[in-house]
Amino acid sequence: MRYPAAMTDAGAHELEELEQIIAAGGSAIEARTLCQIACGARRLPLHAISLGNPDPAVPAIGIFGGVHGLERIGAQVALAFLHSVVSRLRWDTTLQRQLEHLRLVFVPVVNPGGMWRRTRANPQGVDLMRNAPLEARERTPFLIGGHRLGPHLPWYRGPLAGPLEVETAAVCRLVDDELLSHSFSMVIDCHSGFGLSDRIWFPYAHTVLPIPHLAEMHALLEILDQTHSHHRYVFEPQSRQYLAHGDLWDYLYLRALERSDRVFLPLTLEMGSWLWVKKNPRQLFSRHGMFNPLIEHRRQRVLRRHLAWLDFMTRAASGNALWLPQGAAREGHRKLAMQRWYGGLPA
């Protein structure tokens, strides 16, 4: 699809790049349009791409980006990794063997309407990461934690008891079909806009309580530290920074807990965009400057850094049976995690 020239700086680039990757992948990938998003007189596609083995017995991993329209770098990281995978399909025998035992799912631009409109929210003014029917158990920060005051303010959750937004509902259906159908699955959702450090957040966002799979998260951190000993990620529960209503991944994680035979580990990559502003204060005068590296060599550096981690995560998903803790080892990881992230053991 050719997008109007006026969209070039407002999200068309990412949509066009995604459709070019889909065309290049041909029959080697499975591409579908989850829904169409109304943006004024236009309708924009919400694309999903799948590849690898669909057998529910093999692990699966989903890569998402562009949930917030202003955070274009999140979509660009997801697209760069998808482009790398599709480009390697023809000649990389290691990747070909990996995909015999792994399901890969991509939704690089979850909020195409927000990207087109240059807004955090979707065209209805709803923050898709605050849209799930889930209330925080403890106090949330004003506005940032999600509110129902109206779409004229950021972080709007949508109307009370209203249906899920089209984009949110489409993501939930996809996760049900492509990820929660597998015995083991992971998610990486790429964001930016918080802090000076790159963070890897795991649930919960709606409560300070630890998740049931705390031991698994600690074991994942352990193999990350062992494999990439000089990585710069801060790995932590999101609740250490702030709480929020309606967190989409909390909602889907809680749904996954209803199946005791499933392990679902959702993670958020929160790129530390304040560092880009610190290095280039003029970004404060740009609508996208608080969320994206505007200088090209910094953008390229960001893509290089996170592609290595995304590749690690696909390998971790593939080899989950070798690092997931069991029995006494699991309890040991849980205790270490409680000490690391929650100040000690629960009573």
Side-chain angles (χ1 to χ4, degrees):
M1 178 185 295
R2 292 293 299 172
Y3 295 96
M7 291 178 61
T8 302
D9 295 326
H13 174 77
E14 285 77 12
L15 287 171
E16 287 185 341
E17 181 179 353
L18 176 54
E19 291 176 357
Q20 289 168 5
I21 295 172
I22 291 172
S27 61
I29 65 174
E30 303 165 36
R32 53 178 158 152
T33 300
L34 300 180
C35 58
Q36 295 281 341
I37 307 303
C39 257
R42 298 183 178 88
R43 299 186 68 83
L44 304 176
L46 176 49
H47 290 303
I49 298 90
S50 305
L51 61 162
N53 192 341
D55 185 344
V58 308
I61 183 168
I63 312 294
F64 294 75
V67 172
H68 294 133
L70 286 175
E71 300 172 17
R72 295 179 65 180
I73 189 62
Q76 290 169 10
V77 167
L79 283 166
F81 187 58
L82 174 60
H83 182 270
S84 172
V85 169
V86 170
S87 298
R88 290 156 49 202
L89 286 174
R90 178 174 56 86
W91 59 267
D92 189 340
T93 55
T94 299
L95 175 63
Q96 292 168 3
R97 287 194 296 270
Q98 182 187 33
L99 290 175
E100 293 175 1
H101 306 283
L102 178 70
R103 185 66 164 172
L104 264 175
V105 181
F106 290 86
V107 187
V109 185
V110 173
N111 184 9
M115 297 195 77
W116 177 67
R117 297 174 67 248
R118 303 188 183 195
T119 60
R120 174 185 175 90
N122 74 350
Q124 281 65 50
V126 176
D127 186 329
L128 300 179
M129 199 46 63
R130 303 287 188 273
N131 185 227
L134 180 64
E135 303 298 316
R137 295 182 53 161
E138 294 91 19
R139 185 175 181 178
T140 65
F142 180 62
L143 293 183
I144 295 175
H147 64 85
R148 300 196 190 277
L149 299 176
H152 55 287
L153 293 172
W155 306 292
Y156 174 57
R157 301 179 59 190
L160 181 64
L164 292 175
E165 292 298 301
V166 173
E167 302 91 337
T168 312
V171 168
C172 290
R173 289 193 301 270
L174 180 75
V175 170
D176 282 340
D177 294 343
E178 288 275 21
L179 298 176
L180 298 186
S181 57
H182 291 252
S183 57
F184 177 90
S185 60
M186 305 173 74
V187 155
I188 298 165
D189 185 16
C190 302
H191 288 256
S192 62
F194 181 88
L196 293 168
S197 301
D198 293 331
R199 299 175 185 271
I200 302 169
W201 280 341
F202 60 86
Y204 289 124
H206 78 285
T207 178
V208 297
L209 295 176
I211 63 171
H213 290 96
L214 189 64
E216 286 76 8
M217 290 298 186
H218 189 270
L220 178 60
L221 172 60
E222 180 179 76
I223 64 168
L224 174 61
D225 287 344
Q226 292 169 349
T227 307
H228 295 280
S229 57
H230 301 293
H231 75 80
R232 299 173 58 186
Y233 296 106
V234 178
F235 196 112
E236 64 184 0
Q238 183 179 331
S239 61
R240 293 196 64 170
Q241 299 302 326
Y242 65 89
L243 298 181
H245 298 292
D247 185 86
L248 177 59
W249 299 116
D250 276 20
Y251 172 65
L252 289 167
Y253 176 74
L254 290 171
R255 281 173 45 173
L257 291 179
E258 297 172 3
R259 294 284 303 272
S260 60
D261 61 337
R262 297 287 186 263
V263 174
F264 175 58
L265 305 180
L267 300 163
T268 296
L269 169 62
E270 186 71 32
M271 289 173 269
S273 63
W274 298 358
L275 181 62
W276 307 325
V277 175
K278 180 180 178 181
K279 291 182 176 180
N280 182 29
R282 288 178 296 177
Q283 292 195 188
L284 286 171
F285 300 99
S286 165
R287 188 176 181 84
H288 287 92
M290 281 295 295
F291 305 96
N292 305 279
L294 300 186
I295 297 177
E296 181 58 21
H297 74 84
R298 290 197 181 116
R299 190 185 75 88
Q300 293 178 7
R301 186 183 306 144
V302 168
L303 297 180
R304 288 194 300 270
R305 177 186 306 160
H306 298 305
L307 290 194
W309 178 66
L310 290 173
D311 183 66
F312 163 82
M313 290 299 294
T314 63
R315 293 168 184 267
S318 296
N320 72 88
L322 300 178
W323 60 265
L324 283 178
Q326 305 291 334
R330 188 172 190 272
E331 178 60 17
H333 275 289
R334 188 191 69 82
K335 290 179 178 179
L336 291 172
M338 290 299 300
Q339 293 168 357
R340 182 184 188 105
W341 292 312
Y342 295 94
L345 300 177

